């Protein structure tokens, strides 16, 4: 099983959208038994909240449902995921402050913000 976590600041817009799109694509390709996607935020501002209504509406117009609840990324998550995808450079910096282990740092891939 390949586990991927998308990470933004509050986990109510970008990262849950990326998670929803990834789950949708994985489902379409019948790969749910091989790839698992989640999302998290570097901050705890919105823990427990559903994704922002604008994100949910835009995703739904494209056939994608956003059903996750916001949570904060924790250092232990580096051990759970094969890939940790930061939504922007600030999120990447925040993630790097959570670990100094080379194998955990190697899991981080920077993405440009939309």
């Amino acid at each position: 099983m390949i586990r991927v976590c998308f990470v933004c600041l509050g986990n109510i817009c970008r990262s849950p959208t990326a998670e929803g799109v990834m789950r949708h694509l994985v489902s379409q390709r019948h790969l749910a038994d091989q790839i698992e996607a989640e999302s998290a935020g570097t901050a705890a501002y919105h823990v427990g909240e559903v994704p922002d209504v604008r994100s949910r509406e835009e995703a739904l117009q494209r056939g994608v449902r956003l059903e996750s609840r916001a949570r904060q990324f924790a250092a232990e998550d580096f051990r759970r995921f094969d890939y940790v995808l930061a939504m922007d450079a600030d999120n990447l910096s925040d993630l790097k402050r959570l670990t100094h282990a080379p194998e955990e740092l190697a899991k981080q891939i920077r993405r440009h913000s939309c």
Side-chain angles (χ1 to χ4, degrees), residues 19-76:
E19 173 191 353
V21 169
M22 181 71 153
R23 286 178 181 244
H24 181 77
L25 294 172
V26 165
S27 176
Q28 283 184 326
R29 288 162 178 79
H30 308 287
L31 297 172
D33 60 334
Q34 298 174 46
I35 302 170
E36 184 178 283
E38 291 185 33
S39 63
T42 56
Y45 305 129
H46 301 286
V47 169
E49 293 180 24
V50 296
D52 182 87
V53 66
R54 295 165 294 184
S55 295
R56 286 182 289 153
E57 288 172 355
E58 289 295 325
L60 200 52
Q61 287 178 19
R62 292 159 177 82
V64 176
R65 295 180 58 97
L66 306 184
E67 299 177 327
S68 62
R69 295 243 173 207
R71 72 175 191 86
Q72 187 173 19
F73 190 88
E76 304 84 55

Side-chain angles (χ1 to χ4, degrees), residues 66-85:
L66 306 184
E67 299 177 327
S68 62
R69 295 243 173 207
R71 72 175 191 86
Q72 187 173 19
F73 190 88
E76 304 84 55
D77 288 329
F78 283 114
R79 291 186 289 283
R80 289 186 48 228
F81 294 100
D82 299 297
Y83 300 97
V84 177
L85 298 129

Side-chain angles (χ1 to χ4, degrees), residues 5 16 73 91 103:
C5 186
F73 190 88
N91 301 137
E103 67 277 3

